[in-house]
Amino acid sequence: QVQLAESGGGWVQAGGSLTLSCAASGRTYSSYATGWFRQAPGKEREFVAAISWSSGDTQYAASAKGRFTIYRDGAENTVLLGMNSLKPEDTAVYYCASHLDPTGRLTPINAYDYDYWGQGTQVTVSS
């Protein structure tokens, strides 16, 4: 069993930056790909970014590419999402999720591929 806890959300003006953190507990974070998703009011949950646990491969949604960076802090068993040049349309609850992956190379983009989810952290970007 893996427990995930997001932190780092908040309020920021358009053009600003935030870094979200996803801390894992319960089991070692190795063997798990990690993804970030977001859900805005009245909208479906959408993929933002993912990172494999071994190869370091990453994948981004078109809306995140060039502005967001997903990376691991192995020493802290944490996956971070650095977000720059934030826009009002980035406003959402951001969730991290983990997917058990024996290959170590996957970066799933579909929510149904993920086994564990955090509770989410709110990001609000004002214009």
Side-chain angles (χ1 to χ4, degrees), residues 11 14 33 60 62 104 112 120 126:
W11 178 89
Y60 296 91
Y112 57 71
S126 66

Side-chain angles (χ1 to χ4, degrees), residues 80-116:
L80 300 107
L81 182 69
M83 305 186 296
N84 297 317
S85 303
L86 284 162
K87 306 173 182 180
E89 50 264 43
D90 294 317
T91 295
V93 177
Y94 283 70
Y95 300 88
C96 68
S98 65
H99 166 74
L100 181 60
D101 169 32
T103 74
R105 301 175 69 177
L106 297 182
T107 54
I109 65 171
N110 296 306
Y112 57 71
D113 284 326
Y114 286 85
D115 309 296
Y116 303 101

Side-chain angles (χ1 to χ4, degrees), residues 28-35 50-58 70-74 77-79 97-108 114:
T28 177
Y29 223 174
S30 63
S31 305
Y32 286 87
T34 301
I51 186 167
S52 66
W53 70 264
S54 179
S55 64
D57 291 338
T58 58
I70 187 171
Y71 56 102
R72 290 187 178 275
D73 182 344
N77 215 24
T78 299
V79 171
S98 65
H99 166 74
L100 181 60
D101 169 32
T103 74
R105 301 175 69 177
L106 297 182
T107 54
Y114 286 85

Side-chain angles (χ1 to χ4, degrees), residues 40-51:
K43 295 188 177 181
E44 294 187 353
R45 191 169 298 189
E46 64 175 3
F47 171 75
V48 176
I51 186 167

Side-chain angles (χ1 to χ4, degrees), residues 2-43:
V2 174
Q3 292 83 42
L4 303 175
E6 304 94 336
S7 62
W11 178 89
V12 64
Q13 287 189 320
S17 300
L18 283 174
T19 297
L20 306 183
S21 177
C22 177
S25 61
R27 290 183 62 176
T28 177
Y29 223 174
S30 63
S31 305
Y32 286 87
T34 301
W36 283 96
F37 291 76
R38 68 186 184 187
Q39 188 166 18
K43 295 188 177 181

